[in-house]
Amino acid sequence: MKKAYNETWIANLHILNKAEHWAAKKLLTREQLDQAEKAFPQQFYRPGIFVKIGLFIFTLIACSFASGFISMFIIGDGGQENISIISLFCMAGFIFFLEFLIKKRSLYHSGTDNALLYAALGAAAIPILSLFQDLQVWQFCIIFFAITFAATLRYADLLTAAGSFLILILMLGDMMIKFPIGKAILPFGVMILSALVYMIVRKIKSSYYHDCRKLIEILALATFYLGGNYLVVREGNAMLNDLNLPFAPQIPFAQVFYFFTIGIPVAYIFFGLKKHDRVLLITGLLSLALSVYTYKHYFSPFTPAQELAIAGMAMIVLSAAVIKYLHTPKHGLSDEQEGKRKLANLEAILVAQHLGQTPGEDGNVEFGGGNFGGGGSGETY
């Protein structure tokens, strides 16, 4: 599908963001940063966060007024058909102005275009929900997934990307809970689907979908873990089977979910450290915290005060031990702040070539106060 935003500008924007990051660390001089801005131009309108929020709210209000104005001429007796026609008119208008402003005003996730996109999607949902009320949940999911997925492909919007993934999970769940065996294997279905989505999005290298890819990775890792978490599975099983008991009953294959609850966070942390993947590492740490809560919820012999004291002491001791161990970089890891470390990234050489910088005799490229080795990834994380 053809993309709405200028792909070259987006690629240049990512390069400039990295260049500004390096300049903030004194790895690029002001002159080199100016050269980068000339070599990689982009003309998107990207206001500050508060202006973006204001534009978003103002655009939504304008869309509401426009919808009300159109409805005065078509509302008729207020039947579902008339409301659907109004919604389709509004959807077409919102999409027209969205495309027009992107092309003529060079908007790029600036608040106005986000609001117009969401208004168009909301307008598209009204006739589907009102005219096809007999459809089952999974059938609605197929329709809405197609819409949000198409919107993600064209506009690379984070909310539509997250919506597409969550709709996919909902569709799977609704289809599986209709059968007794489906309820039993639902956790494994969620885990398999999450793993497949994660592997697919990891192959996306386009800078156009950079943020969407990161978000879907996080959601896929989270749902993969939640699908195997003992607490989620046990309580979810009781909810799906309408078991109104003080405590959710034990589930089949409990030992398997014990293993998943502990093993998945450990695997996330291990591979996050090994591959220097922050998404895996942070998701693993959060998952480990939920695993500890899961154990506490069912098996902990301590009072809440004792648990907090033990957890606090354990975190202090572990943090001190890790900081001391990594004071001298080991295995590509270091306890030093990122801004104090040297970067070694192959992309630096590529950017340097555009800026007219050439490697020195020792094979390094010097940018300001740091050295960039030509051997690939650096020794610290």
Side-chain angles (χ1 to χ4, degrees), residues 59 71 76 85 102 201 212-213 252:
T59 304
S71 66
I85 292 174
I102 289 175
V201 298
C212 292
R213 179 174 67 86

Side-chain angles (χ1 to χ4, degrees), residues 276-288:
H276 297 181
D277 190 324
R278 289 183 182 273
V279 171
L280 267 175
L281 177 61
I282 295 174
T283 306
L285 292 173
L286 294 175
S287 301
L288 183 61

Side-chain angles (χ1 to χ4, degrees), residues 98-272:
L98 172 61
E99 296 288 338
F100 175 81
L101 291 174
I102 289 175
K103 288 180 172 58
K104 299 299 181 181
R105 300 297 181 183
S106 300
L107 302 185
Y108 178 61
H109 299 169
S110 59
T112 299
D113 50 339
N114 300 93
L116 284 170
L117 175 60
Y118 303 153
L121 293 175
I126 292 175
I128 296 173
L129 294 173
S130 61
L131 298 179
F132 303 98
Q133 298 179 1
D134 295 332
L135 294 181
Q136 299 184 40
V137 173
W138 66 270
Q139 293 172 320
F140 279 117
C141 287
I142 292 176
I143 298 173
F144 287 127
F145 174 78
I147 295 173
T148 55
F149 184 68
T152 303
L153 289 179
R154 180 158 179 80
Y155 300 104
D157 182 80
L158 291 177
L159 188 59
T160 60
S164 298
F165 177 77
L166 296 177
I167 289 172
L168 202 59
I169 295 292
L170 177 61
M171 180 175 65
L172 174 70
D174 183 69
M175 294 174 67
M176 294 188 70
I177 63 175
K178 296 182 182 300
F179 310 97
I181 186 64
K183 290 182 180 180
I185 63 174
L186 178 59
F188 302 103
V190 171
M191 295 176 70
I192 292 172
L193 178 60
S194 300
L196 289 175
V197 171
Y198 181 80
M199 289 187 291
I200 291 172
V201 298
R202 288 282 294 181
K203 296 180 180 180
I204 299 175
K205 302 302 181 183
S206 172
S207 58
Y208 192 86
Y209 300 111
H210 177 269
D211 294 337
C212 292
R213 179 174 67 86
K214 288 295 183 183
L215 178 60
I216 297 301
E217 283 182 16
I218 294 171
L219 292 176
L221 290 171
T223 52
F224 181 82
Y225 167 73
L226 293 175
N229 179 270
Y230 176 77
L231 183 147
V232 174
V233 174
R234 180 169 172 173
E235 299 298 328
N237 177 69
M239 184 183 302
L240 289 176
N241 291 283
D242 297 323
L243 301 177
N244 297 318
L245 300 173
F247 296 97
Q250 182 62 286
I251 56 176
F253 308 108
Q255 291 76 11
V256 174
F257 294 104
Y258 293 157
F259 172 76
F260 285 155
T261 302
I262 298 299
I264 292 175
V266 172
Y268 283 177
I269 294 172
F270 173 78
F271 287 107

Side-chain angles (χ1 to χ4, degrees), residues 333-360:
L333 303 174
S334 172
D335 73 313
E336 294 181 356
Q337 296 180 10
E338 184 182 11
K340 296 180 180 179
R341 290 188 271 112
K342 299 177 181 179
L343 294 179
N345 196 315
L346 183 59
E347 293 175 357
I349 296 180
L350 300 178
V351 174
Q353 291 175 348
H354 282 281
L355 301 182
Q357 188 81 11
T358 57

